[in-house]
Amino acid sequence: MQKSLKSVLLCYLLGIGFVSAEKYRGEIFLLLRDPVSTAKGNTGVSDPQSLGTILLNPSLVNLVSPGAYFSHFEGYNGLIAVENLSVKIDIGGVLNKSAINIFYLHSDPLEVTKLKDENLGIVEGNIEVIGTHLYRFFLLSWITGKEISKKSYFGVSIKLFRESFYNYAENGAGVDLGYFIHLKNLAVGITARDVFFSIFKGKSLEVAYPSFVLGLTKISKSMNWIMEAELFSDGPYPGAIINLGRLSMDFKFGAEYRPTDNLAVRIGFYRGYFNGGAGINWKKLNLDYSISPNPELNVTHKIGAGICF
């Protein structure tokens, strides 16, 4: 009985977190990140490494090469699986620098339970299993950008969401804005997520509040150093480094060492944990891997593969 109840509670938490996206201070948003950014402490807004990073900063669509990138990972000991696909194709015209990003989360069959007697509450023998269902969350982003100058770029991401489980379904939409500028050996990236708020409509109306990320990347021939500050506007929370009124701030750090043109070794630090990983490039193909501890997901392994057209 406890196992079935645990499954229901897990699904409930996933549902709340995903459908309101940034509302819960980016905890769920971390699941969307590709192995490259995950290995570097969940950074990426100022570091256009792969197509996967355009989800973090839409202005990076101006800098990444046309191609396709796919990543996969499983969490909660295999209870959920996440697939992410980004595709960019040169089509000419004003939409030349555009891409499509598809994110899909799905679970194993989860038991749906109800209380036999609502007056007794959650106690042994008072829980009845009424069926099993899959939890699904789907995100489709259309991302496009424009070159402002030879060193600065702007981008916008229009997001559509759908979440469903059992007899519940909710749809949502939001907009992210991004900016990137390259200054000698320093790159600066800024992202405003849910900049006009994100609206989610199902049985009720929910709003996701804006959040902002500023990233700095120090670039050298074989080593990149990355630092990011993330600001949330929906109130303080215990894990933040800085809490001030309704504002909360976190910091992230990452580094990438390239001993050769075909190999990258990555490490990052975020919320008391170290992440790590590596990437291999061969001609037009690349393969990435990351490993990160997480108090909820346990140790998480992510793999990703891409191809340049």
Side-chain angles (χ1 to χ4, degrees):
M1 290 297 181
Q2 288 184 342
K3 184 176 180 181
S4 63
L5 179 60
K6 188 176 181 180
S7 297
V8 173
L9 290 175
L10 170 61
C11 190
Y12 175 74
L13 291 173
L14 284 172
I16 290 178
F18 272 101
V19 77
S20 49
E22 299 307 313
K23 184 176 180 180
Y24 288 86
R25 298 137 176 140
E27 299 293 343
I28 299 298
F29 191 81
L30 298 180
L31 300 181
L32 281 67
R33 310 204 172 190
D34 69 329
V36 179
S37 60
T38 299
K40 293 183 288 187
N42 296 303
T43 62
V45 299
S46 61
D47 193 22
Q49 286 288 317
S50 70
L51 268 170
T53 59
I54 63 176
L55 187 64
L56 309 179
N57 185 346
S59 68
L60 301 183
V61 72
N62 296 279
L63 303 171
V64 296
S65 301
Y69 191 88
F70 176 82
S71 63
H72 169 83
F73 88 94
E74 297 180 2
Y76 295 97
N77 295 320
L79 183 61
I80 63 168
V82 178
E83 284 82 41
N84 184 220
L85 174 66
S86 298
V87 179
K88 178 187 177 184
I89 302 175
D90 284 337
I91 56 178
V94 295
L95 300 180
N96 186 42
K97 296 179 179 178
S98 299
I100 296 292
N101 184 86
I102 300 171
F103 170 88
Y104 178 54
L105 179 145
H106 51 98
S107 72
D108 286 343
L110 298 173
E111 291 183 342
V112 181
T113 64
K114 70 174 184 179
L115 298 177
K116 296 178 181 179
D117 186 344
E118 294 185 359
N119 295 322
L120 294 178
I122 302 174
V123 295
E124 187 72 24
N126 193 40
I127 301 173
E128 178 184 1
V129 178
I130 60 176
T132 59
H133 293 268
L134 302 180
Y135 170 85
R136 295 184 177 92
F137 178 82
F138 181 82
L139 163 65
L140 173 64
S141 297
W142 177 66
I143 303 167
T144 188
K146 180 177 178 59
E147 181 179 312
I148 300 175
S149 68
K150 291 183 178 180
K151 294 185 177 181
S152 62
Y153 308 88
F154 173 79
V156 59
S157 173
I158 300 175
K159 307 179 294 185
L160 299 176
F161 306 85
R162 179 170 176 79
E163 178 192 48
S164 62
F165 176 69
Y166 186 44
N167 61 352
Y168 172 85
E170 193 164 50
N171 300 308
V175 176
D176 297 345
L177 300 179
Y179 177 76
F180 177 89
I181 185 170
H182 190 274
L183 304 169
K184 293 185 178 180
N185 295 326
L186 182 68
V188 181
I190 304 173
T191 299
R193 292 199 296 260
D194 302 302
V195 65
F196 306 117
F197 299 92
S198 284
I199 304 299
F200 303 88
K201 185 68 175 68
K203 294 181 178 180
S204 62
L205 182 67
E206 295 186 58
V207 175
Y209 289 85
S211 62
F212 307 89
V213 186
L214 170 65
L216 303 175
T217 299
K218 180 67 172 64
I219 304 170
S220 65
K221 183 177 180 180
S222 60
M223 191 80 178
N224 284 2
W225 298 95
I226 308 157
M227 182 180 73
E228 285 186 8
E230 191 164 15
L231 179 68
F232 303 100
S233 62
D234 59 339
Y237 70 103
I241 295 177
I242 298 175
N243 284 308
L244 182 63
R246 289 188 57 82
L247 301 179
S248 303
M249 181 173 287
D250 258 343
F251 293 94
K252 315 168 193 176
F253 303 92
E256 179 179 270
Y257 173 61
R258 298 177 298 276
T260 70
D261 292 336
N262 304 110
L263 176 63
V265 180
R266 304 166 180 134
I267 191 171
F269 182 79
Y270 180 54
R271 293 190 181 179
Y273 295 93
F274 281 99
N275 298 353
I280 299 174
N281 297 319
W282 183 73
K283 295 184 178 180
K284 294 185 176 182
L285 302 175
N286 61 288
L287 181 65
D288 300 300
Y289 167 78
S290 71
I291 181 172
S292 56
N294 187 294
E296 300 296 335
L297 301 175
N298 299 322
V299 176
T300 303
H301 306 269
K302 293 186 179 181
I303 57 172
I307 182 171
C308 294
F309 297 151

